Amino acid sequence: MTRKTTDQKLQLGELLIEQGALNQEQLHQALEYQRQASEPLLLGEVLQKLELCTREQIMAALAAGYGVPFARISPRIADPHVIDVFPREFLERHSVLPLFKVRNRLTLAVSEPANVFLLEEIGRLTGCEVQVVCATERDIKATLETHLPSANVFVIDDIFDEAESPELSVVDDETEDIGEIEDATESSPVIKLVNYLIYHAVREGASDVHIEPDESALRVRYRVDGVMYEKLRPPHKMGPAIASRVKIMAGLDIAERRLPQDGGIHVLMEGRPIDLRVSTMPSQFGEKIVVRVIDNRNVLVNLEKLGFNYEMLERWKKCIASPNGMILVTGPTGSGKSTTLYSVLRELNSDQVNIVTVEDPIEFNLSWVNQFQVNEKIGFTFAGALRSILRQDPDIVMVGEIRDADTARVAVQAALTGHLVFSTLHTNDAAGAVARLLNIGVEPYLVSASIVASLSQRLVRKICTRCKQPYEPPKNIRRAIEREAGEVETFYRGAGCKHCRKTGYSGRIGIFEMLVPDEALRERITAAPNVVELRSAAMEAGMTTLRADGMAKIKAGLTTIEEVFRATAA
């Protein structure tokens, strides 16, 4: 061992001792282990192997030794446009990451601050003054993975060029080698394609990504504004590797392809968190993958942006301000019920109230709201969770869904004992929610006493503002709409443009029907009427129907006749 090598080892050790990350006895222990090792090891590797120091502590010491700052970097502080200055292969090979650029000064994260030749090369290539910060290789790699979709090296055509044409394939019934599939998931094209799909799903506002294998083809479809459309068709033979890559990201078992699996992925995109819920299902020709995209920009919206008209919004705000009682939100899957309830909880959340939710699953994490996940396998059901929650001194309780009589009775009792209870039901209209409670066995007088409001909703697509144009509908359609909404001066629709993918629609808005029982209607509920009688009584009391609210939005130029008829066909 040369004197120079010994001095370098002691220098790192002394730096760690100065920073309080190591003591003299531990340093001697590490040096002795290094001397007796069967293979040459760096001092930093020995310290990590013996768990005497973390990688971050070692990097911080090295940075201090070279006179550069040490930083814990993350995707939030890296500018994706600056990352694009270099090819991705260059960044990965040298473990460097451009963070941001101010005028002619480029701030660069490196894992090897001693490589002055690399820094000189980067300065020459960019023509910038290079300012260095030291970071761990792990942080650099993680940040690169997050910003991969915005990197300029990804061209989707490259993936197709690397694969054979799917037009002709050999049928092979032999079982695939799981090891080979796992290796394939780490290949650059598969990683790029999966990141591409996630990135563009968020950018295009998709709520779901469907990866669907067929006998000789593989297609990817997005659900945007409630409607499915085909995004692309990757090579068929990439299907198993794509499925395995998504399962690895979601923490699922890639070896299990016979049973359905569920998992989640948390990613950062452009500095904001995105939650992805993954569901796999074995099909005849492979595993179908569905990825639900939960973007907090779409989940957490103000009540004013949901689509209520002014009068209905004021009534809704008055209802949710009630000190106790039950408020129900109804509609089919995908009608925006969770978004409405989260918007309500966000409106009501304050330091003065204790809000507790029980959900299956938890759609989105709300700050300072106590949220609990149902687990049927261990007996933690909605009803059981709700009973326990009521011993947690709640003011406001949100039950994800009322599915059975037991849950309904506990929720009603909670509403009658001083709690404000929110929940959802799968019914076609507002009156149907009241009828459902009666049908599953809740006593009519309890329903009558506890119900504050029942809100039914649907989502309709909005006319694209970039290609919106007036048109004249058929006379019978005009007459039908004007009977509900009054005289309409101009009807609008979207012509179709690049922004809306030639559909004429961009974004969605809610149409609503709200039942707020008065004393007369409460008496009718006590008599256990059927849903037709309830609906008739509510309309007599002045309830605006879903279709009438949709007609008003047609008159306002927000949506089209076709959308309202589609959403209210039932």
Side-chain angles (χ1 to χ4, degrees):
M1 183 180 294
T2 65
R3 175 66 182 168
K4 180 180 179 182
T5 307
T6 305
D7 288 345
Q8 287 176 337
K9 293 171 183 173
L10 290 175
Q11 184 181 14
L12 173 60
E14 289 165 359
L15 287 168
L16 287 165
I17 291 171
E18 287 179 10
Q19 294 186 353
L22 196 69
N23 59 42
Q24 197 70 44
E25 182 180 345
Q26 290 171 325
L27 176 59
H28 288 308
Q29 177 188 350
L31 290 172
E32 182 62 24
Y33 182 95
Q34 184 186 40
R35 188 180 64 80
Q36 297 179 3
S38 58
E39 57 181 355
L41 293 173
L42 296 173
L43 179 58
E45 293 173 331
V46 173
L47 292 170
Q48 290 180 80
K49 188 177 182 68
L50 297 178
E51 297 184 353
L52 297 176
C53 290
T54 65
R55 180 62 179 165
E56 286 75 12
Q57 290 172 322
I58 293 168
M59 292 299 296
L62 287 173
Y66 287 110
V68 300
F70 172 75
R72 291 301 308 272
I73 64 169
S74 70
R76 191 180 296 274
I77 65 171
D79 185 346
H81 301 294
V82 175
I83 294 176
D84 285 348
V85 170
F86 295 99
R88 183 171 181 79
E89 289 79 6
F90 178 89
L91 300 178
E92 289 179 331
R93 185 168 67 252
H94 298 291
S95 189
V96 299
L97 179 72
L99 294 177
F100 44 84
K101 181 182 176 184
V102 180
R103 295 188 176 89
N104 197 44
R105 174 175 291 184
L106 175 68
T107 300
L108 187 75
V110 300
S111 61
E112 293 289 344
N115 193 342
V116 293
F117 299 107
L118 174 63
L119 302 182
E120 289 177 358
E121 182 183 358
I122 290 174
R124 180 179 57 80
L125 291 173
T126 60
C128 294
E129 177 188 347
V130 179
Q131 177 177 308
V132 173
V133 298
C134 190
T136 65
E137 189 174 346
R138 182 179 60 189
D139 284 353
I140 290 174
K141 183 177 180 181
T143 305
L144 277 173
E145 284 293 328
T146 300
H147 285 294
L148 174 64
S150 61
N152 60 5
V153 299
F154 177 51
V155 180
I156 193 66
D157 291 339
D158 292 346
I159 296 174
F160 299 146
D161 292 342
E162 292 171 11
E164 296 177 2
S165 172
E167 294 178 2
L168 182 64
S169 59
V170 178
V171 178
D172 186 0
D173 292 330
E174 292 182 5
T175 304
E176 296 171 84
D177 187 339
I178 294 296
E180 292 178 2
I181 292 179
E182 189 167 6
D183 292 340
T185 64
E186 300 301 325
S187 67
S188 183
V190 174
I191 293 174
K192 289 178 180 179
L193 178 55
V194 172
N195 284 342
Y196 172 90
L197 295 176
I198 294 172
Y199 176 75
H200 282 275
V202 177
R203 285 288 298 271
E204 296 179 28
S207 60
D208 301 270
V209 180
H210 292 245
I211 303 170
E212 303 167 315
D214 201 357
E215 185 174 9
S216 59
L218 179 69
R219 72 173 176 179
V220 178
R221 293 192 293 169
Y222 288 174
R223 186 181 295 278
V224 180
D225 296 336
V227 178
M228 299 278 283
Y229 83 95
E230 187 172 311
K231 177 66 177 176
L232 52 82
R233 291 203 176 196
H236 181 250
K237 71 176 188 178
M238 292 181 71
I242 292 171
S244 294
R245 173 62 182 169
V246 174
K247 288 161 76 173
I248 287 171
M249 294 172 70
L252 304 179
D253 182 3
I254 68 168
E256 179 55 75
R257 291 180 288 166
R258 300 169 300 171
L259 295 172
Q261 296 187 70
D262 297 295
I265 306 171
H266 305 285
V267 299
L268 281 174
M269 178 173 156
E270 297 174 351
R272 73 177 190 275
I274 306 291
D275 288 333
L276 307 173
R277 188 168 299 122
V278 176
S279 173
T280 73
M281 179 76 73
S283 69
Q284 184 179 2
F285 302 109
E287 287 182 286
K288 174 173 178 177
I289 308 290
V290 177
V291 181
R292 168 65 59 88
V293 181
I294 302 173
D295 188 346
N296 61 355
R297 294 189 308 182
N298 301 327
V299 175
L300 294 181
V301 298
N302 296 328
L303 289 176
E304 289 77 7
K305 295 182 179 179
L306 293 176
F308 290 104
N309 62 45
Y310 177 78
E311 181 183 349
M312 192 179 292
L313 179 61
E314 291 303 306
R315 294 182 71 197
W316 180 243
K317 285 185 174 180
K318 185 176 179 181
C319 289
I320 65 175
S322 301
N324 54 63
M326 176 180 284
I327 297 175
L328 300 171
V329 180
T330 78
T333 300
S335 59
K337 301 187 296 296
S338 295
T339 300
T340 297
L341 286 178
Y342 279 133
S343 299
V344 168
L345 296 184
R346 184 188 184 192
E347 181 90 3
L348 299 177
N349 195 12
S350 71
D351 292 338
Q352 286 74 46
V353 294
N354 177 24
I355 302 177
V356 184
T357 76
V358 52
E359 305 170 63
D360 184 24
I362 295 173
E363 295 280 351
F364 185 78
N365 295 323
L366 292 166
S367 297
W368 301 113
V369 171
N370 304 285
Q371 295 173 272
F372 300 93
Q373 170 81 48
V374 167
N375 190 338
E376 302 269 355
K377 294 179 181 178
I378 62 172
F380 192 59
T381 62
F382 274 117
L386 189 51
R387 289 190 180 94
S388 298
I389 282 172
L390 295 177
R391 294 191 286 271
Q392 293 276 313
D393 187 31
D395 298 297
I396 299 170
V397 177
M398 195 268 276
V399 183
E401 183 183 351
I402 293 178
R403 297 176 178 173
D404 52 53
D406 197 14
T407 305
R409 290 193 184 96
V410 178
V412 167
Q413 289 295 337
L416 292 172
T417 53
H419 306 91
L420 182 59
V421 179
F422 293 92
S423 191
T424 69
L425 280 169
H426 288 286
T427 62
N428 287 330
D429 54 27
V434 178
R436 178 65 58 81
L437 292 178
L438 298 174
N439 291 339
I440 62 178
V442 181
E443 289 78 359
Y445 72 93
L446 294 177
V447 176
S448 172
S450 62
I451 196 81
V452 173
S454 174
L455 180 77
S456 182
Q457 67 178 73
R458 302 289 189 277
L459 292 176
V460 295
R461 291 182 291 173
K462 294 192 295 182
I463 299 171
C464 176
T465 56
R466 301 195 184 190
C467 60
K468 185 176 180 179
Q469 63 181 24
Y471 83 107
E472 183 58 35
K475 290 183 180 180
N476 60 328
I477 298 294
R478 173 182 277 276
R479 285 195 297 270
I481 292 172
E482 290 183 341
R483 277 198 300 269
E484 293 274 3
E487 184 178 355
V488 180
E489 290 186 9
T490 309
F491 287 86
Y492 293 93
R493 65 183 175 189
C497 63
K498 182 179 179 181
H499 175 71
C500 63
R501 303 173 308 282
K502 303 295 182 181
T503 63
Y505 299 99
S506 180
R508 289 192 289 178
I509 192 171
I511 58 174
F512 301 94
E513 168 180 296
M514 185 162 61
L515 184 156
V516 181
D518 55 13
E519 289 304 317
L521 189 54
R522 291 186 189 279
E523 290 184 11
R524 296 286 293 272
I525 294 172
T526 306
N530 60 40
V531 66
V532 176
E533 294 170 337
L534 271 173
R535 183 171 179 79
S536 176
M539 291 177 67
E540 288 174 8
M543 181 184 76
T544 301
T545 65
L546 280 168
R547 179 159 288 187
D549 190 41
M551 297 297 182
K553 288 178 170 63
I554 293 172
K555 183 176 181 179
L558 295 173
T559 190
T560 64
I561 302 163
E562 294 80 7
E563 274 298 289
V564 172
F565 283 178
R566 178 189 61 80
T568 61

